[in-house]
Amino acid sequence: MVAGKRGHGIWTPANVVTCVRVVLVPVWAALALWVGPVVVSGGSVEAGVGVAVLFALLSATDKLDGYLARSRGEVTTFGKFLDPIADKLLVVAALLVLLAWDLVSPWVPIVVVAREFLVSGLRMVVATSGTVVAASNLGKWKTATTMVSIVALLLSVALPFGSAAVAIQLAGYTLLAVAVVLTVWSGVDYFWKSREALFADEGYEGSPEHGAAAMFGSIAGAGEALPGVASEGAVTAAPTWDDCVRVAARVLEGARECGLTVGTAESCTGGLVEGALTAVPGSSDVVMGAVGSYAVSVKHHVLGVSENVLGSVGPVSPECAAQMAEGARPALGCDVSVSVTGIAGPGGAEPDKPVGLVWFGVSDGVKTHTESEVFPGDRDEVRLRAVVHALELLERTCSGHVLHE
């Protein structure tokens, strides 16, 4: 279930801050162009410093709106759409101002804008395969160095010419060079991590075609069929707890065969996946434990889900599922981990996230795979279906290790 959902509209405090940032970006750009570089225009030093300070404050509002959205449980679709646009608008506006002042070469904003377009396109393509490329620190460092370099360059032309202004400008250009390198590097890194999904065949296992029907068909095993599942794989009723335990037994058997340990990171299932595994006698040699990350704060502080993911796409997302699974492995000391995050109901739905939507992630230290399902039924049925699906992902991943050895 989505943590902190309160039935709010789009005009939350976080979204108001984001909208204010969007409105103030052209105002700031007009002010900066009017003031001009003080060392050239002979304008007021105070006005030039004010331009730099205002830019720094606008940059800081990115952290503020993210904090407000998460702390108040008010992550909205509108905010997830507008926030990244506001960030990129501010950076591009600042680079164009510096370009107008002949402080940067035209290729700098071109590289920055091209990278953002390409990575945004890659995200859409990769998302269709169900694979999530976890956010790396390269992007964070790229953003930080870009913002600081812009502030430094703005200050350098606001101060009277002297050793301090020269030193600040040199620092600004150095950081800007680093930011450009990180911009290109992070883009190449994202492309490299996305290569499997980008060049996969149409039958790639992460594609949306591999849904609940395929999942229930695969877990049944040779000659078996789960209660409530039609022969063609259509779900007619939720599995029972005994079904969950039966699938869990197969997971444990497969993990033992390849010498793997497993763990879980659970939100909407509240520990039921681990419960099914530990309901099987002798499971302690395979199951390392579980992280019950029902709260957003636990997802962030214990599993390492980034604030950017939680603030931009929310806890019910492929990005969050991927980072939950990746964070569970070191937290639990296991070889393979599975994550579950979704909206079990009866409330919590959003326009693009209905009740029953569950995202799953599985990580083995080499690859992280995600996929989603929209399960029918009431809260209990959604949770049981999610448990079986998560167990099947563990079974499939462990079997993959056997096949690749």
Side-chain angles (χ1 to χ4, degrees):
M1 189 173 184
V2 177
K5 182 69 178 177
R6 298 176 183 172
H8 47 74
I10 67 170
W11 294 115
T12 63
N15 289 347
V16 170
V17 171
T18 305
C19 288
V20 169
R21 183 161 80 254
V22 171
V23 171
L24 288 181
V25 167
V27 174
W28 172 85
L31 176 64
L33 292 172
W34 178 69
V35 171
V38 173
V39 295
V40 176
S41 66
S44 166
V45 172
E46 290 78 9
V49 172
V51 168
V53 171
L54 180 56
F55 176 83
L57 291 176
L58 288 174
S59 301
T61 60
D62 180 38
K63 292 292 184 183
L64 176 61
D65 57 18
Y67 169 77
L68 289 173
R70 291 187 300 275
S71 63
R72 296 170 59 88
E74 295 175 342
V75 176
T76 66
T77 302
F78 178 70
K80 289 183 289 185
F81 167 78
L82 189 63
D83 183 66
I85 292 178
D87 300 339
K88 292 169 178 57
L89 179 63
L90 179 60
V91 171
V92 171
L95 290 176
L96 291 178
V97 167
L98 295 177
L99 178 63
W101 291 353
D102 291 325
L103 290 176
V104 298
S105 174
W107 61 264
V108 174
I110 290 174
V111 168
V112 171
V113 172
R115 185 265 184 197
E116 297 303 335
F117 272 107
L118 288 173
V119 170
S120 297
L122 282 173
R123 286 197 179 101
M124 288 189 291
V125 173
V126 170
T128 62
S129 72
T131 299
V132 170
V133 178
S136 68
N137 288 327
L138 289 174
K140 297 178 183 178
W141 282 107
K142 178 261 298 182
T143 300
T145 53
T146 301
M147 295 301 188
V148 175
S149 68
I150 291 173
V151 172
L153 291 174
L154 291 172
L155 280 175
S156 72
V157 294
L159 300 176
F161 184 79
S163 58
V166 172
I168 292 174
Q169 189 170 77
L170 178 60
Y173 280 127
T174 302
L175 287 173
L176 185 60
V178 172
V180 171
V181 171
L182 290 175
T183 296
V184 176
W185 187 4
S186 61
V188 172
D189 178 69
Y190 194 92
F191 182 87
W192 179 253
K193 291 179 178 177
S194 308
R195 66 191 185 284
E196 184 174 349
L198 286 173
F199 300 110
D201 295 333
E202 289 297 321
Y204 182 66
E205 68 175 5
S207 64
E209 287 81 4
H210 292 259
M215 184 278 291
F216 278 104
S218 65
I219 64 174
E224 295 183 75
L226 289 177
V229 181
S231 58
E232 68 273 16
V235 179
T236 60
T240 66
W241 179 247
D242 288 341
D243 298 325
C244 296
V245 175
R246 180 155 55 91
V247 179
R250 291 205 304 274
V251 173
L252 296 171
E253 181 181 354
R256 289 190 185 101
E257 289 179 358
C258 51
L260 297 174
T261 57
V262 302
T264 70
E266 303 180 55
S267 184
C268 64
T269 47
L272 291 176
V273 180
E274 185 204 27
L277 290 165
T278 56
V280 180
S283 58
S284 59
D285 64 330
V286 172
V287 181
M288 299 300 290
V291 176
S293 55
Y294 207 68
V296 170
S297 59
V298 177
K299 291 180 176 69
H300 174 56
H301 293 295
V302 178
L303 294 174
V305 179
S306 71
E307 293 183 346
N308 179 57
V309 164
L310 293 171
S312 60
V313 294
V316 183
S317 64
E319 292 85 355
C320 183
Q323 293 189 10
M324 285 173 64
E326 291 168 349
R329 290 185 61 256
L332 298 171
C334 60
D335 299 310
V336 182
S337 59
V338 68
S339 64
V340 187
T341 178
I343 307 172
E350 297 180 28
D352 57 343
K353 296 180 180 180
V355 170
L357 172 64
V358 182
W359 274 100
F360 303 86
V362 63
S363 177
D364 61 2
V366 176
K367 175 183 174 182
T368 299
H369 170 76
T370 64
E371 58 190 58
S372 67
E373 292 292 339
V374 179
F375 295 118
D378 59 22
R379 179 179 177 83
D380 291 337
E381 292 173 341
V382 168
R383 278 154 59 95
L384 285 174
R385 295 185 197 277
V387 170
V388 174
H389 197 132
L391 289 169
E392 192 274 341
L393 281 177
L394 279 177
E395 183 181 26
R396 185 196 308 168
T397 303
C398 291
S399 297
H401 276 263
V402 174
L403 291 174
H404 288 110
E405 289 179 349

